[in-house]
Amino acid sequence: MGGGNTGGAMSDMNVTPLIDVLLVLLIIFMVIVPVTPRGLETLVPQPPKEHHEDPVNDRTIVVQVLSNGAAAPAYKINDNSFNKSDLEPKLVEIFATRQEKVMFVKGDKDLDFSKVAEVIDFGHQAGVDNIGLITPRVEAGQ
């Protein structure tokens, strides 16, 4: 009945040397791997050095909202003046036969944005799918 060490083989594995080897390998890989992450090297397209006018596309529709001081703003579709009431029927007429329904809106910087939003609503009511805003930065090519 006495217990004691019989001196036989142990079936448990000694993991202390394995942990030591693991820590040494971890330190080696930490030293080898560079600290700063590197991304992929790519070439980013740069804007042209000189700004040149692109040929005007007759399919492009640009609606301009021009400020008249305290008076009601003036509206233009591709340099043709229109009254506010005639704007939506003209847009419906233009986009009735087109496959690509894209329109751009350009407003004066001194103008309240609600006037530009009205033109955007006219475009949506005319069935335009994509409406873009032309800002001074877009116009300058930035």
Side-chain angles (χ1 to χ4, degrees):
M1 288 217 59
N5 196 354
T6 59
M10 284 181 42
S11 64
D12 292 334
M13 187 167 106
N14 189 4
V15 294
T16 304
L18 292 175
I19 292 174
D20 291 342
V21 170
L22 178 70
L23 290 174
V24 169
L25 288 174
L26 181 67
I27 291 171
I28 289 172
F29 283 120
M30 286 176 62
V31 170
I32 291 174
V33 175
V35 177
T36 59
R38 289 193 52 168
L40 299 174
E41 293 184 22
T42 61
L43 294 174
V44 179
Q46 300 295 321
K49 299 271 186 211
E50 55 203 42
H51 181 66
H52 57 85
E53 290 296 322
D54 294 331
V56 178
N57 186 355
D58 60 345
R59 302 285 298 166
T60 304
I61 300 298
V62 178
V63 180
Q64 295 179 6
V65 186
L66 305 171
S67 177
N68 284 340
Y75 300 94
K76 288 185 174 185
I77 299 177
N78 290 352
D79 296 328
N80 296 328
S81 296
F82 287 94
N83 293 327
K84 182 179 177 181
S85 59
D86 298 334
L87 201 59
E88 184 182 349
K90 183 62 178 176
L91 289 174
V92 169
E93 176 187 332
I94 291 171
F95 290 107
T97 58
R98 291 187 178 218
Q99 286 287 356
E100 58 180 36
K101 298 186 179 194
V102 179
M103 176 179 93
F104 295 97
V105 179
K106 178 181 174 185
D108 279 348
K109 64 178 181 174
D110 300 328
L111 195 63
D112 187 29
F113 186 75
S114 65
K115 304 298 182 186
V116 176
E118 288 177 348
V119 174
I120 293 172
D121 286 340
F122 291 154
H124 284 297
Q125 292 171 2
V128 179
D129 296 329
N130 297 321
I131 298 175
L133 295 176
I134 298 177
T135 62
R137 294 183 80 184
V138 170
E139 199 169 21
Q142 295 179 348

